[in-house]
Amino acid sequence: MTLRSVSTLNRACASVVASVRPQPATEHHRRRLASSLATHLASRRAEPQQHQQQQTPAKYSIAIVGGGPAGFYVAHHLLKHRQDITVDIFERLRMPFGLVRYGVAPDHPEVKNVTNTFEQVLANDRTQYFGNVEVGKDIGLKELQSLYSGVVLTYGAESDQLLSVPGEFPGPRLSDNKHPSLAELHQADRSAAASGGVISARSFVGWYNGHPDQTALNPSLTRGDTAVVFGQGNVSLDIARMLLAPIDALQRTDMADHALAELRRSTIKRVVLVGRRGPLEVAFTIKELREMTKLPGVASTLKRLELTPEEVAYYNNERPRRRLTELLVSTSEAAQSLTLTPDQRRWELLFQRMPDGIVRDAAGNVTGVRLRHTALQGAPGSRSAVALEQTEFIPCSLVIRSIGYRSLALPELPFDARRGIIPNIKGRVVTPSQPGEPTILPGLYCAGWVKHGPLGIIATTMNDSFATSSLILDDITKQALPPSPVASSASPSALPQFVFNKQAFLAANATELAAGTAQERPRIKMLHADPATLADAQSETAHGAN
Ligand SMILES: Cc1cc2nc3c(=O)[nH]c(=O)nc-3n(C[C@H](O)[C@H](O)[C@H](O)COP(=O)(O)OP(=O)(O)OC[C@H]3O[C@@H](n4cnc5c(N)ncnc54)[C@H](O)[C@@H]3O)c2cc1C
């Protein structure tokens, strides 16, 4: 796609957006949103649901915080099982669907088909969508609780785990802080990208998927030929695949155009995935591993795996682990007879190494990573890594940490900082267990990654979300959840203009799909990084610029 057509698309998308947010949320701004939501809810309570044969006035109203898979699956389940519920989904970004849109790899379009179900949820008369509304900033949790029968927190994991080694961040500012704020992490990621430093997988994945927070990341992929990725899970394999896959294949996906342009120029030829533990502890699944071993033009240069009889006995007893390990063993055997050309793209797994430091030159640019060898303790499958004296240096120009996402605390909500989740009992939010017994907070629920931690595929998230919504349905049946606290009224609703509503989503979605069809791609994503960009695009459109 040419730069000209990208900007044409961005202008077209901008024209469907209702309005822009002129300034960050203020007290006045929040009060306006809360009061217009109250009016809006009241008018909806007065309207019988048009689409049903037997018209049932809405009685219970549920607010969902976070428009990712967890939020949409909770909504889907609630709407399916009761006709007297309305569901309002609040999403920080304009476009919904969370990591399905901004996490799942662009070359896995089949995974994104789950959005068909989510779009049905949006099409339901009893659902409203409030995009571009960040709960905790634009509206408080307590305000939502005062307006709705219940609130479900499904806001995912917006931060990530740090390596916590010297040199991870260019400056000293973050080195002592185990849990920096999201703004600090974004800033650190941007400086790291500029100096070929340590970038979080979250940012890198967001960058190639067109996440509005990461369009300005600009990682340099032309400073050298080796990238080191810390972590041996599916996200690490996704990243290795994106760095090494033939660009022509990626060109046919919905990958962001800025990422396609940088990957086309990329000089990265070798990707090393580093893990603290051994081959029996890798966290990726066989489908992703097989895909990696079959990547056209890319060699799997694994060292020969030498497993002990105890290790073999362990994996033979665990079917998924056995298939995975057998593929690792056969790939490593095949690698011994490979003949590599100097320009050959390749990937490898390095086991029993932990990060010890990020090495930079005088200008602050990353020149390599220092790794410490580890010994494994415990039974195979649940071993822990213990640091040894021996270290080694791997020269590289790009380092990505992919050792886990992490949820953030929300104002006015209990948070278990140690586990990085909302404290809950099977999805009911509780006050922290220390010093006394946990107390259930009525009407407050959670689901998805913020409930159980950032692990699991979409199917896991779906089951978990259905379990939480079953609790809500039970509470309604037992009259433990009050009807919507907002009285019925026929007054028309008026929401602040910055809210990106259902109509704006439908228009933006249609524009993205049409732009994609024109280029034989699934879609071309709207990339408005911030309101200022959007405002520029809008004013350009208003002035009829081409
Ligand atoms: C890189 C990557 C690739 C993956 N690939 C696959 C795959 O191929 N197949 C698969 O099955 N699974 C995959 N997964 C897992 C899958 O994405 C998760 O299981 C799922 O997205 C978790 O859903 P969630 O709703 O809990 O969180 P999320 O998807 O993160 O959704 C949370 C939503 O909440 C919003 N939000 C955050 N804070 C606020 C706030 N304060 N107010 C309002 N909204 C807020 C966010 O913007 C986001 O839209 C992948 C995960 C990652 C990280």
Side-chain angles (χ1 to χ4, degrees), residues 66 68-70 91-92 98-99 103 111 135 155 158 405 448-449 456-458 461:
E91 167 55 49
R92 181 173 82 82
L99 286 168
V111 176
V135 174
Y155 63 86
E158 298 269 290
Y405 282 46
W449 277 18
I457 58 172
I458 296 165
T461 300

Side-chain angles (χ1 to χ4, degrees), residues 39-40 215 324 356 446 513:
T39 321
H40 170 82
T215 48
L324 187 65
D356 192 55
C446 59
L513 290 172

Side-chain angles (χ1 to χ4, degrees), residues 77-112:
H77 200 249
L78 290 175
L79 293 168
K80 182 172 158 198
H81 286 92
R82 282 195 81 112
Q83 301 300 324
D84 57 355
I85 287 186
T86 60
V87 170
D88 288 354
I89 299 173
F90 293 84
E91 167 55 49
R92 181 173 82 82
L93 304 174
R94 290 186 178 80
M95 295 297 270
F97 310 151
L99 286 168
V100 174
R101 180 177 166 97
Y102 295 120
V104 171
D107 61 344
H108 285 170
E110 70 292 347
V111 176
K112 303 185 191 205

Side-chain angles (χ1 to χ4, degrees), residues 73-148:
Y73 280 125
V74 168
H76 174 73
H77 200 249
L78 290 175
L79 293 168
K80 182 172 158 198
H81 286 92
R82 282 195 81 112
Q83 301 300 324
D84 57 355
I85 287 186
T86 60
V87 170
D88 288 354
I89 299 173
F90 293 84
E91 167 55 49
R92 181 173 82 82
L93 304 174
R94 290 186 178 80
M95 295 297 270
F97 310 151
L99 286 168
V100 174
R101 180 177 166 97
Y102 295 120
V104 171
D107 61 344
H108 285 170
E110 70 292 347
V111 176
K112 303 185 191 205
N113 288 340
V114 292
T115 58
N116 295 337
T117 304
F118 305 161
E119 284 176 25
Q120 281 168 21
V121 170
L122 283 176
N124 193 310
D125 295 345
R126 290 180 287 138
T127 309
Q128 285 302 324
Y129 177 68
F130 302 108
N132 201 26
V133 176
E134 182 171 349
V135 174
K137 278 200 181 139
D138 299 318
I139 188 158
L141 183 62
K142 289 236 154 36
E143 282 160 313
L144 284 186
Q145 286 180 284
S146 71
L147 293 169
Y148 290 86

Side-chain angles (χ1 to χ4, degrees), residues 465-527:
S465 306
F466 289 172
T468 293
S469 69
S470 296
L471 293 178
I472 301 172
L473 295 170
D474 274 359
D475 284 353
I476 291 178
T477 309
K478 290 181 195 146
Q479 299 188 332
L481 206 63
S484 182
V486 178
S488 298
S489 116
S491 50
S493 59
L495 286 169
Q497 280 195 312
F498 74 82
V499 174
F500 194 82
N501 61 14
K502 211 148 92 163
Q503 289 66 35
F505 161 73
L506 288 173
N509 193 40
T511 307
E512 288 190 347
L513 290 172
T517 304
Q519 297 197 22
E520 297 182 18
R521 293 170 63 187
R523 71 169 63 232
I524 295 175
K525 287 182 187 168
M526 191 171 81
L527 298 180

